[in-house]
Amino acid sequence: MLIRHRGLEPSIDPSAYVAPSATLVGDVRIAAGARILHGAVLTAEDGAVIVGADTVVMENALVRGRQGHPAEIGSAVLIGPHAHVNGSTVEDEAFIATGAALFPGSVIGAGAEVRIHGVVQVNTVVDPGAVVPIGWIAVGDPATILPPEKHEEIWAIQRELDFPGTVYGVDRDTSMRELMRRQSEYYGAHRDDAPVDGTA
């Protein structure tokens, strides 16, 4: 389904394929030969989603563009099932495996791999050709890649990356009630969404 959001609607190259059960919302641009498979959601909240040529976004993946952090996916990239690509830049020929999570401001270099359930934290840069192993976490610029049991080492780097400011535009001391009030208002823009003619 194609949805108009904030006055913008998806643009799809005629040679691309978008499955009938995929959902594209707002300023989503799909290049030649790209394939968006069943259940995938590509949503341009107030930042574009750009998918390059011959890229495949597999079943039930989420790709989200946000203000200041568009989701820019290069050419010949695989975004695996249930992956979460949120305001990240993924360069050409990268491999993002099942269940991987990429956070706003992150950059995945050309030919890099984020394997099953790998995590790339906000404002983290994974070098071209690097590998984030299964379940490991990349954090920092340049990325330090650590296993999940190294929480204290991960946090020592992550706390300087400004997760609340990058993702939510608030400081670390903002209460959950205030954060969710703002998020509710932000996502309230979807009340004005409308299906693009012929796709309902």
Side-chain angles (χ1 to χ4, degrees):
M1 175 175 281
L2 307 182
I3 305 288
R4 186 177 301 106
H5 177 62
R6 299 181 190 268
L8 300 170
E9 59 187 58
S11 171
I12 303 164
D13 185 274
S15 69
Y17 169 76
V18 176
S21 63
T23 303
L24 279 58
V25 181
D27 186 12
V28 177
R29 306 170 208 164
I30 308 298
R35 307 292 183 240
I36 312 301
L37 301 185
H38 290 281
V41 175
L42 285 70
T43 181
E45 295 301 333
D46 51 5
V49 172
I50 301 164
V51 176
D54 299 323
T55 284
V56 176
V57 178
M58 297 191 72
E59 294 86 355
N60 300 307
L62 170 64
V63 181
R64 181 187 307 276
R66 49 193 320 126
Q67 184 175 27
H69 298 288
E72 297 180 296
I73 313 300
S75 297
V77 170
L78 177 74
I79 306 293
H82 299 281
H84 174 206
V85 179
N86 185 357
S88 181
T89 296
V90 180
E91 295 179 351
D92 296 349
E93 300 178 24
F95 178 86
I96 310 302
T98 300
L102 315 181
F103 286 92
S106 62
V107 177
I108 310 303
E113 297 182 24
V114 181
R115 294 186 175 163
I116 297 169
H117 297 296
V119 175
V120 180
Q121 279 293 346
V122 297
N123 302 317
T124 292
V125 177
V126 175
D127 288 337
V131 173
V132 178
I134 294 171
W136 283 40
I137 296 100
V139 59
D141 178 7
T144 299
I145 301 172
L146 296 163
E149 64 268 16
K150 298 284 189 177
H151 174 75
E152 294 304 321
E153 291 176 50
I154 294 165
W155 177 241
I157 301 168
Q158 182 184 350
R159 72 175 162 233
E160 304 302 321
L161 298 178
D162 190 23
F163 186 95
T166 301
V167 177
Y168 300 113
V170 300
D171 61 43
R172 193 169 296 285
D173 297 327
T174 302
S175 71
M176 191 65 177
R177 184 165 299 281
E178 175 60 14
L179 173 62
M180 294 315 298
R181 184 196 65 74
R182 292 181 185 201
Q183 288 294 287
S184 175
E185 180 180 328
Y186 175 74
Y187 289 112
H190 285 289
R191 290 177 298 200
D192 299 324
D193 288 0
V196 174
D197 291 341
T199 67

